[in-house]
Amino acid sequence: MDPEYRSVWVFLERRREEIIESSLEVLGKARELADRYGDKVAGILMGAGNLDRLAEAAITYGADIVYTIQDELLRDYSTIPYSEALSRMITMYKPNIILYPATRNGRDLAGRISAKLNLGLSANTVWLDIVGDGVLLAGVPGFGGGIMAVTKCLTKPQMATVRPGAFPKPQPNLTRTGRIERIDIGKLPEPPIKAIERVFYTVEDISKAEAIIIAGIGIRENIEVVKKLSEKLNWAFGATRPLSDEGLVPRDIFVGATGKTVRPKIALIVGASGAAHFISGVAGAEKIISINIDPEAPIHSYSDYSIVGDAYKIIPKLLEKLEAETK
Amino acid sequence: MMHIIVCMKITPKSEQVRLDPNTKTIIREGVENEINPADKNALEAALQLKDKHGCKVTVLGMGPPIWESYMKLAVSMGADDAILVSDRAFAGADTLATSRTLAAAIRKIGEYHLIFCGEESSDAGTGHVPPSIAEFLNIPQITFVNHIEIIDGRIRARRVLEGAYEVLECTPPVLLSIEYGCNTPRFPDFRRKRWVDKEFKLRVWDIKDLELNEEEVGLKGSRSIVEELREMGLGERARQKITGTEDEIVAQILNIIRPYIKK
């Protein structure tokens, strides 16, 4: 192992007073990668108040060390102070690998750090592996999603952003121990951008759903009945990209290479042909049932149970039956 | 008058791209190209500001000569000027080398107030180029923006996050990455298109024009490389067929999904 560049770092992004789930997923994967070549995992946590509670939580999810940086300018994510603080940390400690959740803030930060320190960065990865003595291989979906480019960084630290939902969130181990190190980073630059308003709202994040029903373009004339069925079942509702491109469903519920990755216990897929860029977003499902009228549609071979049939008839009947049961 | 530079990439239509199973290379033949959809939204956002405030809009792309017609298309849609940065040395660039090259071109353009990019490309989908360009130019960035206003020379932008949004304000220069689908890009204007075809001269800059050296750009300037292309393992499935009358099918589906129904 390179004696100079040590440990796997994870950017622990916060949403208000909690570490986001995507960061915990990355932490779980980082633990696995570090164990493969005998290295440590460190979490990077920034904020304005006391961060000990969150740092302790990160330890239960797999961190050996959590570096906390406390500064009023780090209260909410803002590119300039965050990237300045992190790049100072990187220069001081020289980690081997830095992983960021490929959330909007994670990508905003990673892209900035890459240019600041002239470091290679693998983007939006869905697969990570270690070869040799801590060399990171990162799988990036691209070109429709049926194809994965396996990339490698030529510089250290090696960096990657990791797609939310690509790896499962680990189970916390409450007996794990680790240490929290408070870092004095020095004076940070004032952000040139001022926030006038910040609004949080809850959206159902389909990438966390345990059960989902997904509508494809084949059921475009009756998306409503699919949505109703999802409500009846209390399942999440998703769609394929063409429905979103046509504005028939919101953008944040489409599944696929350029959209969400889901890992439900069960997915019922209705009227989707099964193009590789869609399938790559649902490949993590434990069970897939699909309905498509075209016997030649590739979706049938990506399913555990497949039905060659008319979804316009089957779905309303299914809904009817369920409604009759609960009456 | 504000000058907006819109960075544009030309991408293959993603649903048409296939991998050659033998050579593990991408089959580009017969694949249609298009202006990267999010970049089209970025251009539209710039053109809307131009309509309202009288900005100057320049489009900038880095790619092979076949991109020329797409750069001109952007001018037909309403951009005032277009520059294509094109050189064999730029080929094989990762996001870092791409951003460095585009930042050098922006510096050569000189005076600007706003840089617009699409939030990400439809082929690589990294979203890393906009923040890297901003860092190279040493200007602030606001990524994933779906609404922009200019108020007394200040930029006010709504940045959309997962389950949150923030309204941010900043004085130019600033780089904004524009959310895919946040507006409806206009069609090319017929009369403008005629003017473009007859008179418009696209500027094409090479590595010398940008005063970069070969070690900084393209594959040589990249700090991440593609080791190989793999077909993604999409998982083996049981592939059981469910058949019968519609009622029978519904009954079988119910049997399978019943354990997963949350009350």
Side-chain angles (χ1 to χ4, degrees):
Chain A
M1 196 176 350
D2 192 324
E4 195 177 13
Y5 290 92
R6 297 294 303 264
S7 81
V8 181
W9 281 14
V10 176
F11 171 59
L12 300 174
E13 182 181 341
R14 283 181 304 111
R15 177 185 162 93
R16 293 194 273 194
E17 301 314 319
E18 296 303 327
I19 297 171
I20 61 165
E21 295 230 335
S22 317
S23 272
L24 300 177
E25 294 164 10
V26 179
L27 200 50
K29 190 67 190 175
R31 178 75 267 157
E32 184 197 319
L33 295 173
D35 286 343
R36 295 262 300 280
Y37 72 103
D39 207 349
K40 289 197 157 68
V41 173
I44 308 296
L45 189 57
M46 306 189 217
N50 188 307
L51 297 164
D52 286 357
R53 178 180 63 87
L54 297 189
E56 278 158 20
I59 289 166
T60 67
Y61 284 99
D64 299 302
I65 310 163
V66 179
Y67 296 112
T68 61
I69 310 168
Q70 217 180 318
D71 191 302
E72 190 46 45
L73 297 178
L74 301 173
R75 181 173 294 282
D76 294 296
Y77 177 79
S78 181
T79 314
I80 300 293
Y82 268 69
S83 60
E84 184 59 32
L86 182 56
S87 67
R88 284 181 198 171
M89 285 286 294
I90 295 167
T91 314
M92 276 195 288
Y93 288 90
K94 298 189 172 62
N96 180 36
I97 293 169
I98 308 172
L99 303 175
Y100 308 77
T103 53
R104 293 182 161 200
N105 284 339
R107 292 194 283 165
D108 184 280
L109 178 63
R112 193 90 194 188
I113 295 285
S114 164
K116 209 185 243 317
L117 301 176
N118 198 24
L119 296 173
L121 171 61
S122 301
N124 227 353
T125 58
V126 295
W127 173 92
L128 294 169
D129 197 14
I130 291 284
V131 289
D133 231 0
V135 175
L136 181 72
L137 293 184
V140 180
F143 292 103
I147 304 165
M148 179 172 84
V150 177
T151 62
K152 199 167 95 176
C153 295
L154 303 173
T155 40
K156 284 194 171 179
Q158 310 163 83
M159 303 205 296
T161 54
V162 183
R163 179 93 165 258
F167 300 107
K169 182 179 145 188
Q171 287 297 322
N173 174 355
L174 299 175
T175 61
R176 260 191 68 84
T177 53
R179 100 189 129 84
I180 300 169
E181 205 173 303
R182 291 193 189 150
I183 302 294
D184 180 5
I185 204 73
K187 194 172 160 39
L188 291 172
E190 283 284 333
I193 292 168
K194 300 271 173 266
I196 297 177
E197 198 185 357
R198 207 169 251 122
V199 178
F200 293 92
Y201 44 91
T202 27
V203 281
E204 190 195 7
D205 181 0
I206 62 164
S207 69
K208 308 282 184 276
E210 291 205 349
I212 190 170
I213 177 162
I214 302 171
I217 199 82
I219 191 90
R220 60 173 298 170
E221 314 299 335
N222 204 352
I223 299 171
E224 280 314 306
V225 74
V226 183
K227 208 182 277 173
K228 250 194 206 149
L229 178 61
S230 75
E231 283 158 16
K232 186 75 211 167
L233 292 168
N234 207 2
W235 288 15
F237 171 70
T240 60
R241 179 154 187 167
L243 288 179
S244 157
D245 282 353
E246 287 193 24
L248 297 170
V249 302
R251 257 195 80 202
D252 52 7
I253 67 157
F254 85 79
V255 175
T258 48
K260 296 276 183 183
T261 299
V262 298
R263 334 173 46 86
K265 292 200 165 70
I266 191 161
L268 173 59
I269 302 171
V270 184
S273 66
H277 50 90
F278 163 64
I279 294 295
S280 67
V282 77
E286 276 176 31
K287 262 200 188 85
I288 294 180
I289 316 177
S290 65
I291 307 172
N292 194 302
I293 199 159
D294 176 6
E296 302 298 321
I299 188 73
H300 298 298
S301 46
Y302 293 123
S303 303
D304 295 289
Y305 303 97
S306 82
I307 296 134
V308 177
D310 187 352
Y312 286 100
K313 292 193 181 130
I314 295 169
I315 296 297
K317 260 201 173 136
L318 188 57
L319 182 61
E320 216 173 87
K321 194 98 194 259
L322 279 163
E323 275 169 351
E325 279 181 10
T326 46
K327 252 171 211 162
Chain B
M1 185 166 60
M2 281 209 190
H3 183 197
I4 308 174
I5 298 172
V6 181
C7 298
M8 235 171 61
K9 183 180 185 183
I10 309 307
T11 50
K13 288 192 175 173
S14 61
E15 66 273 19
Q16 297 181 1
V17 179
R18 296 283 174 274
L19 185 72
D20 183 322
N22 300 317
T23 60
K24 303 266 191 234
T25 52
I26 289 154
I27 304 167
R28 288 177 190 274
E29 285 82 53
V31 175
E32 285 173 86
N33 291 318
E34 60 182 351
I35 296 177
N36 176 48
D39 298 352
K40 231 175 176 176
N41 293 122
L43 175 60
E44 176 60 30
L47 294 176
Q48 286 179 11
L49 292 178
K50 175 183 170 177
D51 292 344
K52 203 166 169 187
H53 303 279
C55 310
K56 180 187 174 190
V57 176
T58 300
V59 290
L60 169 67
M62 180 189 101
I66 52 157
W67 286 22
E68 285 182 14
S69 58
Y70 297 94
M71 305 307 292
K72 287 180 180 167
L73 176 65
V75 179
S76 301
M77 286 168 69
D80 300 283
D81 199 358
I83 296 159
L84 179 66
V85 175
S86 190
D87 197 301
R88 276 175 187 279
F90 299 151
D94 68 352
T95 56
L96 188 65
T98 301
S99 310
R100 184 184 290 117
T101 309
L102 288 170
I106 291 165
R107 259 189 239 107
K108 184 176 164 71
I109 291 170
E111 195 219 8
Y112 62 86
H113 302 88
L114 297 172
I115 311 288
F116 281 14
C117 300
E119 59 171 306
E120 64 179 33
S121 61
S122 62
D123 54 355
T126 72
H128 291 163
V129 169
S132 294
I133 294 174
E135 173 63 31
F136 280 123
L137 294 171
N138 199 18
I139 62 172
Q141 72 201 35
I142 305 177
T143 49
F144 308 105
V145 166
N146 76 351
H147 186 77
I148 309 147
E149 283 173 281
I150 302 176
I151 303 166
D152 300 328
R154 292 176 66 77
I155 306 304
R156 183 176 287 186
R158 186 168 62 213
R159 177 171 188 253
V160 184
L161 300 166
E162 297 84 2
Y165 71 86
E166 39 193 28
V167 179
L168 303 172
E169 230 184 58
C170 175
T171 43
V174 58
L175 177 144
L176 269 55
S177 86
I178 309 297
E179 202 181 29
Y180 167 62
C182 72
N183 54 33
T184 309
R186 65 195 64 191
F187 288 101
D189 177 84
F190 179 67
R191 275 193 300 187
R192 252 189 110 72
K193 187 179 180 313
R194 279 221 317 227
W195 168 75
V196 170
D197 288 342
K198 278 191 182 149
E199 292 179 46
F200 177 73
K201 288 271 178 292
L202 177 76
R203 280 185 284 168
V204 180
W205 290 345
D206 64 12
I207 187 167
K208 285 192 220 83
D209 293 315
L210 298 186
E211 294 175 30
L212 291 168
N213 69 58
E214 291 205 357
E215 308 305 313
E216 300 175 282
V217 300
L219 193 58
K220 282 188 195 167
S222 296
R223 293 293 172 267
S224 62
I225 51 161
V226 175
E227 285 258 291
E228 60 170 323
L229 293 175
R230 285 191 200 172
E231 237 157 326
M232 273 172 89
L234 298 175
E236 280 302 305
R237 296 281 169 187
R239 298 191 188 189
Q240 277 187 48
K241 297 247 180 306
I242 296 177
T243 52
T245 64
E246 270 150 21
D247 285 324
E248 286 163 359
I249 288 171
V250 165
Q252 291 179 73
I253 296 175
L254 266 175
N255 276 341
I256 299 163
I257 67 176
R258 203 174 291 282
Y260 304 95
I261 302 175
K262 289 174 277 181
K263 286 286 170 294

